[in-house]
Amino acid sequence: MTAHTTAAARAVDLTKTYGTGDTRVVALDSVTVEFAEGEFTAIMGPSGSGKSTLMHCLAGLDSASSGSVHVAGTDLTGLSDKEMTRLRRDRIGFVFQSFNLVPTLTALENITLPLDIAGRRPDREWLDSVLTRLGLLDRLGHRPGEMSGGQQQRVACARALAGRPAVVFADEPTGNLDSRSGSEVLSILRAAVDEFGQTVVIVTHDPRAAAYADRVVFLADGRTVDEMRDPTADSVLDRMKALDAPAGETA
Ligand SMILES: Nc1ncnc2c1ncn2[C@@H]1O[C@H](COP(=O)(O)OP(=O)(O)OP(=O)(O)O)[C@@H](O)[C@H]1O
Ligand SMILES: [Mg+2]
């Protein structure tokens, strides 16, 4: 792995709290983390540890309570709504944990929506290869309500990849997929990094999915608690067990 020094995305001292008083939740507690350009990172951690919140803040979909976020060379803090919308549209691809497809549009219309809005033409060859590899060719005319959860998830991945954005964030992109479709999604994300130098950050609970990444960042209680390079499914599993174990029990 080449040692890149440029960060495609960076959070500095990021804190996000919800609610006040008794119901106050600290979703992110002073998180500082960098994602190098042209690298594939997996974020892991228990349910409620702040993974989705971190991804949303990094992608400019949510604002933090304090701290700063830089994406593709831009400080998100100072952006107007319009500038933020443009940055998200042109530079960032996002796969939501809940897909967020437009119910009235077909699969293909959903996939090309961000490009259509931007007035850009998709790169036909790239789009074809994404659709083929994700097994979507025979579902392009279907609306989300007419597709299975896994198919909708693959449409959401195709949409995030279609415009070849600088950074792709994917929140549990294989959460609803069988292992074969899951492998296709992960290998196409891997290809986005290896063949096009894009930066990919995913959230996953699956050590086998994390093994596709160059690096794993572990979150717990809204903090980064550990990280690992060149993960394998086994090494990730071991680390997860160690992080789960009560202090003093790790040997
Ligand atoms: N809108 C909200 N209002 C109040 N609390 C919230 C809100 N969104 C998230 N939280 C809280 O913030 C914490 C972090 O949530 P987040 O969705 O980032 O977790 P996660 O790591 O993605 O979990 P999962 O693996 O279950 O998806 C949780 O304790 C959650 O209950
Ligand atoms: Mg989540």
Side-chain angles (χ1 to χ4, degrees):
M1 213 55 46
T2 36
H4 293 276
T5 48
T6 331
R10 179 157 54 102
V12 180
D13 245 351
L14 205 64
T15 294
K16 171 83 177 174
T17 56
Y18 290 106
T20 52
D22 285 354
T23 60
R24 188 166 177 272
V25 173
V26 183
L28 294 176
D29 188 359
S30 199
V31 170
T32 295
V33 66
E34 270 195 18
F35 302 96
E37 218 172 86
E39 215 169 72
F40 187 159
T41 304
I43 298 176
M44 302 191 81
S47 180
S49 58
K51 304 179 298 297
S52 293
T53 306
L54 176 61
M55 297 271 273
H56 290 178
C57 290
L58 286 168
L61 293 161
D62 198 354
S63 55
S65 308
S66 65
S68 64
V69 173
H70 293 250
V71 176
T74 307
D75 182 351
L76 301 196
T77 328
L79 295 187
S80 66
D81 285 355
K82 204 173 160 187
E83 290 167 327
M84 183 75 95
T85 303
R86 187 172 309 141
L87 178 81
R88 273 206 310 263
R89 190 189 70 195
D90 296 339
R91 312 301 306 276
I92 298 172
F94 201 95
V95 182
F96 290 88
Q97 194 166 0
S98 53
F99 320 144
N100 274 20
L101 300 175
V102 182
T104 51
L105 299 181
T106 66
L108 184 61
E109 287 164 347
N110 265 289
I111 291 164
T112 57
L113 182 66
L115 291 168
D116 292 340
I117 292 172
R120 284 167 61 199
R121 293 185 148 279
D123 176 333
R124 210 50 248 189
E125 209 176 310
W126 169 241
L127 187 61
D128 281 348
S129 101
V130 169
L131 297 175
T132 306
R133 289 171 74 165
L134 294 181
L136 289 170
L137 289 176
D138 59 349
R139 285 293 180 278
L140 295 177
H142 289 238
R143 295 196 168 73
E146 302 161 345
M147 289 183 284
S148 71
Q151 287 164 345
Q152 292 179 58
Q153 186 152 46
R154 282 177 279 149
V155 169
C157 285
R159 177 178 60 184
L161 287 163
R164 251 192 241 168
V167 192
V168 176
F169 295 104
D171 198 349
E172 302 196 29
T174 58
N176 295 278
L177 301 180
D178 60 83
S179 70
R180 181 156 168 270
S181 315
S183 307
E184 283 301 334
V185 165
L186 292 162
S187 58
I188 204 161
L189 292 171
R190 186 70 251 177
V193 172
D194 293 339
E195 293 165 32
F196 300 109
Q198 288 169 269
T199 304
V200 171
V201 184
I202 67 167
V203 168
T204 185
H205 289 281
D206 179 1
R208 286 165 306 174
Y212 282 77
D214 299 308
R215 171 182 176 228
V216 181
V217 172
F218 295 91
L219 283 191
D221 298 323
R223 296 165 187 254
T224 50
V225 289
D226 202 356
E227 76 165 77
M228 165 185 260
R229 297 208 66 91
D230 301 321
T232 63
D234 286 338
S235 66
V236 170
L237 199 56
D238 284 346
R239 195 69 63 94
M240 286 165 79
K241 283 184 194 151
L243 290 171
D244 275 345
E249 233 180 65
T250 57

